[in-house]
Amino acid sequence: MILFENVRFLDTTLRDGEQTPGVALTSKDKVDIATKLDELGVNVIEAGSAITSEGERESIRAVVAEGLNAEICSYCRIMKPDVDYALACDVDSIHLVAPVSDLHINVKLKKDREAVRKMAIETTEYAKEHGLVVELSGEDASRADVDFLKSLYNDGVDAGADRLCYCDTVGLLVPEKAELVFSDICSAVKAPVSIHCHNDFGLGTANTIAALRGGAQQAHVTINGIGERAGNTALEEVVMTIEWLYKHKTGINTKEIFKTSRLVSRLTGIPVAPNKSLIGGNAFTHEAGIHVHGLLADTSTYEPIKPEVLGRERKIVLGKHAGKSSVTLAVKEMGFEVDDSQLHEILNRVKELGDHGKKVTDADLQTIAETVLSIEREAKVILEEYTVVSGNKVTPTASVKLKVDGQDVVEAGIGDGPVDAAFASIKKGVSGIADVQLEEYHVDAISGGTDALVEVLVKLSKDGKMVTARGSRTDIVMASVEAVLNGINSLI
């Protein structure tokens, strides 16, 4: 077998990913994510566990109804009622999970190996009789007796199982063992084997790659690596490792990875860590002057791949580590022409802000550059009035009066809170000149006490262009409004 040939991906963001504490996806959320996963090109979408609730079944049925290219799957225990619920959702396949370690068999199920074997065989046969594709999975396989595991797998295949899966349920594999185990198992069974890793020791991707090297033909993954405890193996890491480090195509549309990451982050409410590989906010962000100087000569000096491959853009951040190259590039991208003395003054002012612990946003740099160049910029969007109503049993509502290109505009909006409502009303107000999206929102209290000065940082985008902007007030809503308007005026 050729290494990494025809690797398949089962994405379990909607099942294992949703089991992240605090995450609950609506039916629409699941459809939106599933549609994006299908655009990525994953082979199987595990849409949920049909036995969970009627609401879960409605969500699975909604995903099935989209008619996606991907195979739609439901998680099932080795129990016939679970299969019946999956059948009622009209899924293509089931991920049939059998506990295989003695710890899980004896302590969790309070049964013995032969009872589990019987349940697995009977449930597999039942699912196949009803026309389902079956992926028989060994839960806690990394702590199971390998001989028992292989015999259970082979009995499952004899009962009709189409695929098998090895679950490293609490992340105890190490890469060298993973490759050896899969080399052994894949040569001993008569069906393709998947690898399903958890990231408890941070080895999810490494173990998944090692298992694929050992003969696994499908990887179970989630977007952003979300999942229970420390999460699951991240799709983006496995895909890009195979494509860029091992030089094999995966069939995944990598240019949609970043958009998918942001969609999942927004709908689950789980932020992506800034230093997360490939998709973190800092993955293609540069501040140090020497790095930017190298990038200007050749981007590969400080980037392993081009950000465009993931649907991203390179970003230069300014602060006390900024150098002449950073500022030159940043002001040029803003459309300013500066001479050496002006550049030197802008750089000094940027460093001064950085030395005081300030984050130098795009709006800050634009103000600095305009001040140094004595350019007066008239804001196209000016806040005249705003009102916010929020409280117990009251839908947060905001109304704003804006002057947009000299014209008075009054709009209202609702949201999950007063800030969200305020942004909704502003977005409506400027819709005639710009379709602005809020990408990130961050708030910090600058001082203590109930009258603390609050600093709000926002990241806004319009037609692929992105800016950051700041607002500082004692009123968090006003600080947010100020930041958003600063960003909008920078964008347009």
Side-chain angles (χ1 to χ4, degrees):
M1 185 184 72
I2 301 173
L3 191 65
F4 300 122
E5 184 181 26
N6 300 321
V7 172
R8 291 165 50 91
F9 292 92
L10 182 151
D11 187 281
T12 183
T13 301
L14 301 181
R15 199 275 301 174
D16 229 341
E18 195 190 21
Q19 289 176 203
T20 303
V23 174
L25 297 170
T26 66
S27 180
K28 183 181 184 304
D29 293 340
K30 286 206 171 192
V31 168
D32 288 348
I33 292 172
T35 301
K36 200 65 187 171
L37 292 173
D38 200 51
E39 288 179 21
L40 271 183
V42 302
N43 304 91
V44 185
I45 298 172
E46 190 170 27
S49 178
I51 190 69
T52 301
S53 67
E54 180 53 36
E56 180 81 336
R57 290 188 285 278
E58 287 178 7
S59 296
I60 295 171
R61 284 192 286 264
V63 171
V64 170
E66 290 297 300
L68 304 176
N69 292 319
E71 177 186 307
I72 308 301
C73 175
S74 173
Y75 177 97
C76 291
R77 300 168 300 176
I78 45 175
M79 300 174 69
K80 291 180 182 178
D82 287 41
V83 177
D84 289 333
Y85 279 117
L87 287 165
C89 295
D90 201 26
V91 295
D92 303 304
S93 65
I94 58 170
H95 177 204
L96 185 63
V97 180
V100 290
S101 70
D102 289 333
L103 176 65
H104 277 232
I105 292 170
N106 300 332
V107 176
K108 187 176 78 171
L109 289 189
K110 302 191 184 308
K111 296 184 181 295
D112 58 29
R113 291 182 181 182
E114 292 312 307
V116 167
R117 185 195 304 273
K118 184 172 183 289
M119 291 169 69
I121 291 170
E122 290 179 351
T123 311
T124 298
E125 289 174 341
Y126 182 73
K128 292 304 297 179
E129 287 168 5
H130 288 80
L132 289 168
V133 172
V134 175
E135 180 159 332
L136 178 61
S137 195
E139 184 181 17
D140 204 28
S142 48
R143 289 190 287 192
D145 175 73
V146 176
D147 290 334
F148 169 66
L149 182 63
K150 288 189 286 190
S151 70
L152 178 69
Y153 280 161
N154 280 321
D155 287 346
V157 173
D158 290 340
D162 303 275
R163 301 189 297 262
L164 304 167
C165 179
Y166 182 106
C167 292
D168 185 21
T169 302
V170 291
L172 296 177
L173 280 177
V174 292
E176 55 271 29
K177 179 180 178 182
E179 186 167 354
L180 288 173
V181 164
F182 269 79
S183 180
D184 176 30
I185 290 175
C186 291
S187 63
V189 298
K190 298 165 284 187
V193 187
S194 303
I195 176 65
H196 178 113
C197 287
H198 284 259
N199 206 36
D200 295 79
F201 286 86
L203 293 172
T205 296
N207 286 330
T208 297
I209 293 295
L212 292 169
R213 285 177 54 85
Q217 291 179 255
Q218 180 170 266
H220 286 207
V221 291
T222 63
I223 300 297
N224 302 340
I226 64 171
E228 298 177 72
R229 303 183 312 282
N232 289 48
T233 300
L235 175 143
E236 59 277 2
E237 293 177 3
V238 176
V239 168
M240 299 314 295
T241 295
I242 293 172
E243 294 223 354
W244 282 82
L245 303 184
Y246 286 95
K247 309 300 182 186
H248 288 272
K249 287 295 181 182
T250 61
I252 296 295
N253 181 4
T254 63
K255 289 185 178 180
E256 294 299 316
I257 284 178
F258 187 63
K259 288 180 183 177
T260 309
S261 165
R262 284 296 175 261
L263 175 69
V264 170
S265 178
R266 178 168 60 83
L267 295 182
T268 60
I270 303 174
V272 176
N275 64 330
K276 172 77 168 65
S277 61
L278 301 167
I279 54 164
N282 293 344
F284 296 96
T285 299
H286 309 271
E287 178 180 339
I290 190 170
H291 282 208
V292 178
H293 181 73
L295 287 169
L296 289 173
D298 185 338
T299 58
S300 65
T301 52
Y302 290 102
E303 288 176 350
I305 61 175
K306 293 184 183 297
E308 294 82 6
V309 172
L310 293 156
R312 302 198 58 174
E313 293 181 354
R314 181 177 301 105
K315 187 166 182 60
I316 307 300
V317 170
L318 302 178
K320 69 177 182 179
H321 301 295
K324 187 176 178 181
S325 298
S326 309
V327 176
T328 300
L329 183 59
V331 297
K332 184 178 180 181
E333 287 183 348
M334 287 184 168
F336 296 120
E337 293 291 336
V338 297
D339 58 31
D340 285 345
S341 63
Q342 291 167 334
L343 181 65
H344 183 70
E345 178 60 23
I346 293 171
L347 178 59
N348 284 342
R349 295 191 185 203
V350 166
K351 284 183 174 289
E352 184 178 354
L353 276 177
D355 284 336
H356 284 86
K358 295 289 186 181
K359 302 176 181 72
V360 183
T361 68
D362 303 313
D364 293 332
L365 179 64
Q366 184 157 335
T367 300
I368 291 169
E370 289 170 348
T371 302
V372 170
L373 297 174
S374 299
I375 298 173
E376 289 191 8
R377 172 173 57 90
E378 183 179 349
K380 288 186 177 291
V381 182
I382 299 170
L383 178 68
E384 301 276 300
E385 299 173 13
Y386 88 93
T387 304
V388 173
V389 178
S390 183
N392 187 31
K393 296 184 180 179
V394 175
T395 300
T397 306
S399 62
V400 294
K401 181 179 179 182
L402 305 171
K403 195 170 284 294
V404 181
D405 262 352
Q407 301 295 314
D408 287 335
V409 175
V410 178
E411 284 289 355
I414 61 173
D416 293 332
V419 172
D420 191 38
F423 178 70
S425 61
I426 292 171
K427 186 176 178 182
K428 286 183 183 179
V430 301
S431 61
I433 60 172
D435 182 18
V436 177
Q437 300 296 323
L438 178 65
E439 300 291 343
E440 292 182 20
Y441 175 88
H442 183 76
V443 59
D444 280 318
I446 306 302
S447 56
T450 55
D451 60 346
L453 182 66
V454 171
E455 180 182 71
V456 172
L457 281 172
V458 297
K459 184 179 288 186
L460 303 174
S461 67
K462 171 185 173 290
D463 300 330
K465 182 183 177 185
M466 197 170 294
V467 300
T468 53
R470 175 194 292 115
S472 297
R473 298 288 179 115
T474 54
D475 180 339
I476 188 172
V477 179
M478 190 59 217
S480 302
V481 168
E482 182 177 71
V484 167
L485 289 177
N486 286 341
I488 288 172
N489 280 308
S490 293
L491 277 172
I492 62 177

